[in-house]
Amino acid sequence: MTDYDAVIIGAGHNALVCAGYLTKAGKTVLVVDGRPDPGGCASTREFSPGFRVSDCAQWLSQFDQSIVKDLNLIGNGLRLGQPKSTISLQPDSDHLTLEGDTISGAGVDSADQAAYQDFKKMVRSFAKLMSTLYRSRPPKLVEQNWTDRMTLMKLGLGLKLLGREHLRDLMRIVMINIYDVMNEHFSNSALKSTIALDAVTGTNMGPRSPNTVYSYLHRATGEHLAQTGTTQVIGGMGALGQSLASAAEKFGTTLQLGTSVSAITKTDNRVTGITLDSGEKISAKIVISSADPTTTFRDLLGYDQMEAGVAKRVEHYRSRSGTAKLHLALSALPDFTGLAADQLSQRLVITPSMDGMEQALNPMKYRELSTLHTFDISIPTIEDPGLAPSGHHVLSAIVHYVPFEPDIGWEKGKPQLLNQLMSELEVYAPSIGDLVMASELIVPSDLEASHGMTGGNWHHGELSIDQALMMRPFPGSTQYATACEGLYLCGAGAHPGGGLQGLPGRNAAKEILKRGVL
Amino acid sequence: MSDVSRDTMLLTTPFHSRVEAMCNINDWGNWMGFTTPNAYFDVELEYFAIRSTTGVFDLSPMNKYRVTGTDAQRYLDRLITRDVSKIGVNRVGYAIWCDDNGQVMDDGTIFHLGEQDYRICSYQRADDWLAWNTLGFDVTIENESDTVAGLAVQGPTSCTVLTLLGCTDLNQLKPFGIAHYTFEGLPMMVSRTGFTGDLGYEVWVPPESAEALWDQLFELGRDYLIKPIGSHALELARIEAGFLQANVDFMPAEEVVRVGRTRSPFELGLGWLVDFNKPLFNGRSALLREQEKGSRYRFAMLDVQGNKPAEHSFILKGKKQVGTVTSAAWCPTAKANIAYAQIEMPHGAVGDELVAEIYYQRELHWTRLLAPCKVIDAPIFKSPKRWQTPAPPH
Ligand SMILES: Cc1cc2nc3c(=O)[nH]c(=O)nc-3n(C[C@H](O)[C@H](O)[C@H](O)COP(=O)(O)OP(=O)(O)OC[C@H]3O[C@@H](n4cnc5c(N)ncnc54)[C@H](O)[C@@H]3O)c2cc1C
């Protein structure tokens, strides 16, 4: 007899989704995380007395609606804000607004407006196809069985339904980069870079990097999976974690927080449990890890516990990150030139031209700080005043491109980068500095330490075609099972990847139930 | 314009000055990037030196890797398919290693030199794979290929000759045992190992000792009809004795580019080297699956009728082609025509009667021969001397 049917490492949103489905199906599940709160990167934290912020993920735009229903997340306290439009701030204050399929401002002409509608239509049909793939386990291309054939057939059918023209486009553009695709479709520079920002967010890539079209489509699946638009979660993203935890616990999941897993343990050649930091050993029929693949295989299982080829694949798995977070505690609502007060609650982005983005990426490659960044800004306290003392506000920004650790070190680098970021912000909000009561800069190495994610990578490993779909995280460990018997994956490092989607967790649970290993 | 070849220049071994001096017929080959003699004077006479007196073969081009560190044994246990703990100190074990698909990368010998101290002697360069395998282990791999020179001293009088050289009580050394001596003040290691299936030893010295060792060996061995042997004579002996050769009888998995051209241990008749009692080793999962699903090929030793070596022959069952020959030779001592073949399952079981389609040419005239052959269960050459301890006096 084992202590549990399954032990899940990590209590991120995917782990909790997985636990929810497994316990709903009557299995006994223990979820363990070293963090004090459930949700992993779906977290809310007080970063200055009285000021709370979604300290990692801030936008909910891809969360699969079937999970919301299946696990009754609304009944478990999940509340979403209003869908946001995206406003791309321009130095001359003629800001560009993207709302649904329409765009305005920044001098976009009618040709670009029409092109935008066509572009959205095309992206929508591609993303629809991808969301079909995302909702099932990735098919194996070599070893065909019926489930995989069905998935491939649906994919094939979907490809047919795309029509010849779109199919040709898809085959062509997934291999190229967002820079070229933008230049093919549009002439307005602000429009191009605003869309390109969505293609590089959370990656270690510039607009001209291959794979950026794939990562753009990955985000675009949200339109089909979530159907909520881009929203914030009331109470901060941690409230998503709380509602998932509450749902999972109601189904019978045991949650143990504040204790890390120190090792995945084996009996003979089978994974049979975990050891906690406290030394306590827990046995289970299977272990499911939502920690990133590198943490899972290298740190918890140990390279000496797997065949050498697997260790080699883990070593080759790429998890660099260029994503940082900036958190400001503000004494009042800031002023952004050219924005009305009600527009401040929208998603505000700042990005240089596509060439500028590429230039911003370069220093990071050489472990240097850039003098140019992109910002993806949320002022959550407008919709959710409870996050700050009355009349006060929080500004939270996802910032690119920031190295994992610059050669000058973070002790010297952080104040320098913070100054740099403030001066870039002040171009659009000139007096914001006067309102800042406290500030916090979270760099990739901080995220690695606080959220246990190797490299601080958004997706638990770069989402590029060689590490996606039937190759995620790497050949031999796909379809949620791994090359190590008894060990499964359910986090962002598994198909379909990162972002708050819940699908790795859901798909993993379904696959495990289907295999009948519990 | 220089007319230097664009090919890499071949290297020479520490014995080269002596080898060259004795290579009467000047017949050289390229063995793993080294200039080595195919034959010194006459392949057949060299072969008979191995079988009736002593043959000396320069095996310095073999790759040698020293494995040390607290995890050395665990490291090797994950690397190779057999149980390393069964190779005691001062013992040698024949071993193969596989990739994660359970396909053979190479074979070689593991020398257990001391506590957590081993040497791998391999045919292929293995630096890259051995380095990848260190992930997660406290182990150091040192390439000793250039710092250890080696001679195979094989044949019925080999023990006597080496004893004259100062290898006291060498006749007490068991097969696969290791003994340590000094030669002119430098360490000399002797292992009772070899590729000939007869009484024989391999002598390992620092390169500085090489020339003097060769000189003394041939001086002391003169009365015992010691002869240098080239790779062609060794080839005959190894086929007769049942040894496989990488790049000939199987393709090292890492070098293969075409799908399906690699082979598993079971497909090479080396299943006896796979120990599933070990919880983990490279290729284990794949090999377990293969055991369940069945192998694609079977390794077969064929006794071919007639005296035409079945080199590169197709093997037929009735009219159907079921396999190909990888090594073949007329074996002079056993007086048998032997071939190694890769046979498609389910054919090739011991006793199976097959046909070798042999093509040979005499004075530009090609002849096709359909030679009946039979799968035999053991190497055709068996010398009791190989296993006797004390080593039998000649
Ligand atoms: C800065 C940043 C901003 C982001 N912004 C957004 C956004 O706005 N919108 C969006 O959709 N996505 C965003 N993402 C991506 C998204 O947050 C992640 O892809 C997603 O949260 C991953 O979820 P997960 O459940 O797979 O893993 P995680 O949420 O990372 O959970 C894994 C859990 O495993 C735990 N763990 C690791 N090791 C151990 C151990 N040894 N023992 C016990 N527990 C362990 C960790 O503590 C962690 O809680 C952002 C990512 C980053 C880095």
Side-chain angles (χ1 to χ4, degrees):
Chain A
M1 267 302 283
T2 53
D3 298 328
Y4 294 89
D5 287 335
V7 170
I8 303 185
I9 301 173
H13 82 288
N14 278 315
L16 296 169
V17 168
C18 186
Y21 278 97
L22 291 179
T23 42
K24 197 179 172 186
K27 309 301 175 191
T28 57
V29 177
L30 172 72
V31 175
V32 188
D33 199 311
R35 291 173 55 81
D37 300 304
C41 294
S43 49
T44 307
R45 179 170 52 85
E46 186 173 61
F47 71 102
S48 174
F51 291 87
R52 293 189 304 139
V53 70
S54 302
D55 68 339
C56 190
Q58 62 185 29
W59 301 119
L60 198 68
S61 64
Q62 301 173 281
F63 201 81
D64 188 65
Q65 48 168 337
S66 70
I67 299 171
V68 177
K69 254 187 265 132
D70 291 346
L71 302 184
N72 185 25
L73 296 187
I74 306 298
N76 282 286
L78 179 65
R79 281 198 299 140
L80 303 188
Q82 293 299 312
K84 313 272 185 202
S85 52
T86 295
I87 303 175
S88 176
L89 305 181
Q90 304 303 313
D92 65 0
S93 309
D94 182 10
H95 303 311
L96 172 73
T97 302
L98 296 83
E99 189 164 14
D101 288 1
T102 60
I103 42 173
S104 57
V108 286
D109 56 18
S110 56
D112 269 352
Q113 276 169 343
Y116 186 65
Q117 304 222 330
D118 286 347
F119 177 72
K120 286 290 273 191
K121 207 166 123 194
M122 177 182 82
V123 168
R124 194 167 290 131
S125 62
F126 296 166
K128 184 166 180 203
L129 198 61
M130 279 174 59
S131 41
T132 310
L133 267 179
Y134 277 20
R135 280 200 167 114
S136 40
R137 75 170 194 203
K140 253 192 200 157
L141 287 180
V142 267
E143 210 176 291
Q144 291 202 352
N145 68 26
W146 272 109
T147 316
D148 293 344
R149 264 190 226 171
M150 283 305 288
T151 309
L152 285 172
M153 261 160 62
K154 275 191 222 155
L155 179 66
L157 195 66
L159 283 169
K160 276 233 167 69
L161 292 177
L162 273 181
R164 211 170 72 192
E165 210 139 296
H166 273 176
L167 178 59
R168 204 174 49 205
D169 278 338
L170 178 63
M171 306 301 265
R172 192 174 62 86
I173 71 173
V174 283
M175 292 301 171
I176 60 176
N177 57 65
I178 199 75
Y179 183 95
D180 291 337
V181 172
M182 289 298 96
N183 283 329
E184 282 176 12
H185 285 83
F186 308 114
S187 59
N188 183 288
S189 164
L191 176 60
K192 290 192 261 191
S193 59
T194 302
I195 297 174
L197 179 63
D198 277 348
V200 299
T201 293
T203 74
N204 193 46
M205 310 186 274
R208 300 181 92 147
S209 307
N211 290 306
T212 40
V213 173
Y214 182 73
S215 70
Y216 181 75
L217 293 174
H218 176 80
R219 276 176 81 90
T221 56
E223 203 174 320
H224 301 282
L225 302 174
Q227 302 178 358
T228 55
T230 299
T231 58
Q232 71 184 69
V233 171
I234 305 303
M237 206 52 88
L240 172 67
Q242 295 290 353
S243 74
L244 281 164
S246 149
E249 283 183 315
K250 276 184 201 156
F251 287 124
T253 298
T254 309
L255 203 56
Q256 187 168 346
L257 297 172
T259 330
S260 285
V261 175
S262 61
I264 296 172
T265 49
K266 295 203 314 184
T267 313
D268 291 330
N269 198 33
R270 204 193 140 77
V271 168
T272 48
I274 55 166
T275 306
L276 300 179
D277 268 350
S278 62
E280 189 190 342
K281 288 188 186 309
I282 298 166
S283 67
K285 290 180 189 154
I286 62 169
V287 171
I288 310 169
S289 178
S290 78
D292 66 86
T294 307
T295 301
T296 303
F297 288 93
R298 185 191 64 192
D299 303 340
L300 298 182
L301 188 56
Y303 283 151
D304 58 338
Q305 295 301 319
M306 63 197 76
E307 297 190 17
V310 183
K312 184 174 172 183
R313 290 203 192 273
V314 179
E315 275 296 290
H316 280 153
Y317 186 67
R318 300 188 312 283
S319 305
R320 287 185 217 103
S321 169
T323 314
K325 279 295 297 285
L326 175 66
H327 301 141
L328 302 178
L330 302 172
S331 58
L333 198 58
D335 228 350
F336 278 79
T337 316
L339 280 189
D342 64 327
Q343 289 180 300
L344 289 175
S345 68
Q346 304 303 310
R347 175 184 180 229
L348 311 178
V349 304
I350 299 173
T351 164
S353 67
M354 291 200 294
D355 284 342
M357 291 165 83
E358 204 64 38
Q359 276 157 1
L361 167 77
N362 282 336
M364 186 188 78
K365 296 188 211 161
Y366 311 106
R367 298 166 307 281
E368 288 163 7
L369 299 178
S370 179
T371 51
L372 209 55
H373 296 86
T374 67
F375 295 75
D376 182 340
I377 302 167
S378 158
I379 306 177
T381 36
I382 300 173
E383 258 196 301
D384 189 4
L387 292 171
S390 163
H392 294 59
H393 285 277
V394 165
L395 180 146
S396 163
I398 299 168
V399 176
H400 285 92
Y401 295 98
V402 174
F404 183 81
E405 171 99 55
D407 280 344
I408 57 167
W410 277 126
E411 203 176 323
K412 250 174 94 185
K414 255 197 195 179
Q416 194 179 318
L417 179 58
L418 185 61
N419 275 339
Q420 173 62 33
L421 294 176
M422 288 309 293
S423 69
E424 288 177 47
L425 258 186
E426 278 167 350
V427 173
Y428 306 89
S431 54
I432 195 168
D434 303 338
L435 307 179
V436 176
M437 299 171 65
S439 61
E440 179 185 63
L441 179 59
I442 306 283
V443 295
S445 53
D446 294 329
L447 286 162
E448 178 176 275
S450 64
H451 287 75
M453 37 170 31
T454 305
N457 186 285
W458 177 297
H459 293 281
H460 285 194
E462 190 79 284
L463 193 73
S464 50
I465 291 181
D466 62 314
Q467 300 190 156
L469 301 169
M470 38 290 242
M471 291 193 282
R472 191 160 186 85
F474 40 76
S477 295
T478 56
Q479 297 192 335
Y480 311 102
T482 69
C484 305
E485 216 188 321
L487 177 65
Y488 292 76
L489 299 178
C490 75
H495 170 78
L500 298 163
Q501 288 189 327
L503 286 177
R506 170 189 168 275
N507 294 355
K510 297 206 161 195
E511 176 68 13
I512 287 162
L513 290 171
K514 207 181 102 208
R515 288 186 178 216
V517 289
L518 294 185
Chain B
M1 279 291 284
S2 124
D3 58 7
V4 170
S5 157
R6 278 187 291 129
D7 289 335
T8 314
M9 195 162 82
L10 293 185
L11 304 171
T12 54
T13 78
F15 297 101
H16 188 72
S17 60
R18 303 308 191 261
V19 169
E20 190 181 23
M22 288 205 184
C23 188
N24 293 346
I25 60 174
N26 208 28
D27 179 5
W28 298 92
N30 172 356
W31 177 31
M32 300 299 287
F34 284 82
T35 304
T36 49
N38 292 326
Y40 284 83
F41 51 98
D42 180 289
V43 175
E44 208 139 300
L45 293 178
E46 290 167 32
Y47 163 84
F48 279 112
I50 301 173
R51 289 287 176 243
S52 19
T53 60
T54 292
V56 176
F57 181 78
D58 176 6
L59 41 75
S60 304
M62 291 290 284
N63 289 292
K64 286 137 279 179
Y65 298 93
R66 190 68 167 261
V67 182
T68 51
T70 48
D71 287 338
Q73 185 190 319
R74 260 183 359 104
Y75 168 88
L76 285 171
D77 246 330
R78 209 262 316 250
L79 178 77
I80 69 173
T81 58
R82 64 178 280 183
D83 188 347
V84 177
S85 69
K86 291 188 177 151
I87 306 171
V89 176
N90 283 326
R91 302 285 302 160
V92 184
Y94 176 59
I96 47 170
W97 43 102
C98 292
D99 65 10
D100 281 18
N101 298 318
Q103 303 298 296
V104 177
M105 300 180 74
D106 199 4
D107 64 346
T109 37
I110 311 284
F111 291 71
H112 192 171
L113 303 177
E115 187 64 24
Q116 301 294 354
D117 185 357
Y118 295 86
R119 179 184 290 149
I120 303 174
C121 189
S122 71
Y123 187 79
Q124 293 284 113
R125 282 261 162 195
D127 302 61
D128 188 55
W129 182 240
L130 294 181
W132 275 113
N133 272 270
T134 62
L135 285 174
F137 290 90
D138 177 13
V139 72
T140 307
I141 310 294
E142 192 195 338
N143 187 333
E144 294 185 326
S145 303
D146 291 342
T147 53
V148 178
L151 288 181
V153 181
Q154 306 272 313
T157 63
S158 56
C159 181
T160 309
V161 176
L162 287 170
T163 306
L164 289 175
L165 189 78
C167 299
T168 324
D169 293 335
L170 185 63
N171 64 342
Q172 299 302 321
L173 190 65
K174 291 188 178 135
F176 291 106
I178 297 173
H180 298 275
Y181 301 97
T182 50
F183 176 76
E184 297 195 334
L186 292 173
M188 173 171 76
M189 188 177 93
V190 179
S191 55
R192 188 165 165 192
T193 46
F195 214 42
T196 61
D198 206 327
L199 176 66
Y201 301 86
E202 290 171 334
V203 183
W204 310 92
V205 292
E208 307 87 275
S209 304
E211 292 176 342
L213 173 68
W214 182 285
D215 292 343
Q216 288 198 28
L217 208 51
F218 280 87
E219 175 70 32
L220 296 166
R222 195 179 319 146
D223 292 345
Y224 299 90
L225 301 178
I226 194 167
K227 299 278 181 245
I229 62 166
S231 40
H232 288 341
L234 186 67
E235 174 77 358
L236 277 179
R238 71 108 189 153
I239 292 174
E240 201 171 40
F243 292 102
L244 298 190
Q245 170 90 60
N247 273 316
V248 176
D249 298 306
F250 65 91
M251 288 302 297
E254 245 189 347
E255 301 208 337
V256 165
V257 290
R258 294 169 184 81
V259 178
R261 304 289 162 90
T262 57
R263 293 292 181 266
S264 77
F266 302 123
E267 292 168 341
L268 293 173
L270 298 174
W272 59 278
L273 284 171
V274 178
D275 188 348
F276 284 124
N277 292 323
K278 278 200 308 184
L280 175 69
F281 59 85
N282 294 333
R284 185 177 190 271
S285 317
L287 291 173
L288 276 174
R289 279 197 300 276
E290 179 180 333
Q291 242 197 355
E292 247 170 59
K293 275 179 29 189
S295 306
R296 303 161 299 173
Y297 300 94
R298 179 163 16 219
F299 171 80
M301 263 183 235
L302 301 174
D303 185 357
V304 185
Q305 278 186 21
N307 61 2
K308 298 281 177 294
E311 276 163 0
H312 313 300
S313 293
F314 287 117
I315 298 297
L316 313 177
K317 177 83 190 178
K319 287 209 153 52
K320 188 173 176 255
Q321 184 205 317
V322 295
T324 49
V325 167
T326 56
S327 287
W330 165 258
C331 299
T333 302
K335 303 213 182 335
N337 194 14
I338 294 299
Y340 295 176
Q342 280 288 302
I343 309 285
E344 285 167 27
M345 294 293 271
H347 305 286
V350 171
D352 197 1
E353 297 193 353
L354 301 161
V355 172
E357 184 176 349
I358 303 171
Y359 290 83
Y360 69 94
Q361 193 239 81
R362 293 283 179 276
E363 296 174 333
L364 292 185
H365 179 82
W366 280 96
T367 306
R368 173 170 177 260
L369 190 75
L370 291 175
C373 49
K374 194 166 177 172
V375 180
I376 55 176
D377 65 347
I380 196 83
F381 175 80
K382 281 185 233 91
S383 163
K385 292 194 286 299
R386 182 182 176 193
W387 300 110
Q388 284 165 7
T389 310
H394 58 280

